């Protein structure tokens, strides 16, 4: 029997905490009948009755979490939750990486040509432009 009382006490505490969170996070226009401070005091001093009273009479009808967020049938288009789920973002990252790779390759080729020309000049040979493939 003691376990049942502990379980009911815990349920009452959870209900009171949920009511307090709901009361404190409600917009000013969503609170009915009493000011916010009065609702908080009622919930704190009479947890079971105050919590039930808050959910029944203290807030505007239709202000639950379900109406605050659009569901699957909501009017807002579904957006990816993370950047790595967004195909447009992934495409932009891939394009940027490709451009950076091409720029790096172009700089390496220029550096290689410059070094080859320096070696040819050092050996006394004129640089050969015709032997190089154009990229």
């Amino acid at each position: 029997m003691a376990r049942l009382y502990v379980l009911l006490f815990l349920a009452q505490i959870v209900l009171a905490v949920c009511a307090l969170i709901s009361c404190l996070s409600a917009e000013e226009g969503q609170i009915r009948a009493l000011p916010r401070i009065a609702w908080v005091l009622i919930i704190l001093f009479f947890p079971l009755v105050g919590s039930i009273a808050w959910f029944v009479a203290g807030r505007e009808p239709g202000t639950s979490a379900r109406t605050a967020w659009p569901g699957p049938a909501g009017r807002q288009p579904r957006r990816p939750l993370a950047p790595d789920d967004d195909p447009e973002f992934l495409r932009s990252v891939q394009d940027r990486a490709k451009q950076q790779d091409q720029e790096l390759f172009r700089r390496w080729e220029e550096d290689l040509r410059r070094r080859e020309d320096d070696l040819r000049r050092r050996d006394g040979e004129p640089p050969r432009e015709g032997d190089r493939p154009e990229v």
Side-chain angles (χ1 to χ4, degrees):
M1 195 68 172
R3 289 182 184 171
L4 179 63
Y5 289 137
V6 169
L7 184 65
L8 290 176
F9 177 74
L10 289 176
Q12 175 182 344
I13 297 299
V14 168
L15 183 65
V17 168
C18 290
L20 271 175
I21 291 172
S22 175
C23 179
L24 293 174
S25 65
E27 297 290 329
E28 204 58 47
Q30 295 175 338
I31 300 174
R32 294 190 308 174
L34 296 171
R36 182 188 317 260
I37 189 70
W39 280 114
V40 169
L41 292 175
I42 290 171
I43 294 169
L44 287 175
F45 290 126
F46 309 104
L48 182 62
V49 176
S51 301
I52 294 171
W54 164 253
F55 286 119
V56 171
R59 60 184 185 156
E60 287 289 326
T63 59
S64 66
R66 288 186 174 199
T67 58
W69 296 95
R75 283 175 245 145
Q76 295 179 354
R78 181 181 158 102
R79 294 196 44 104
L81 299 176
D84 58 343
D85 293 338
D86 187 2
E88 200 172 302
F89 174 77
L90 292 175
R91 202 171 312 117
S92 72
V93 168
Q94 191 176 25
D95 291 344
R96 196 173 334 139
K98 185 188 264 185
Q99 288 174 352
Q100 288 173 349
D101 288 347
Q102 288 174 349
E103 177 64 24
L104 183 62
F105 184 66
R106 185 188 60 76
R107 281 190 277 151
W108 281 348
E109 283 184 335
E110 286 177 3
D111 185 48
L112 180 62
R113 285 185 187 140
R114 184 183 51 77
R115 289 180 184 197
E116 285 177 350
D117 288 344
D118 288 346
L119 284 175
R120 285 195 181 102
R121 282 190 193 110
R122 192 177 67 179
D123 292 339
E125 250 182 79
R128 296 180 286 184
E129 293 293 329
D131 292 342
R132 293 194 192 128
E134 290 298 321
V135 178

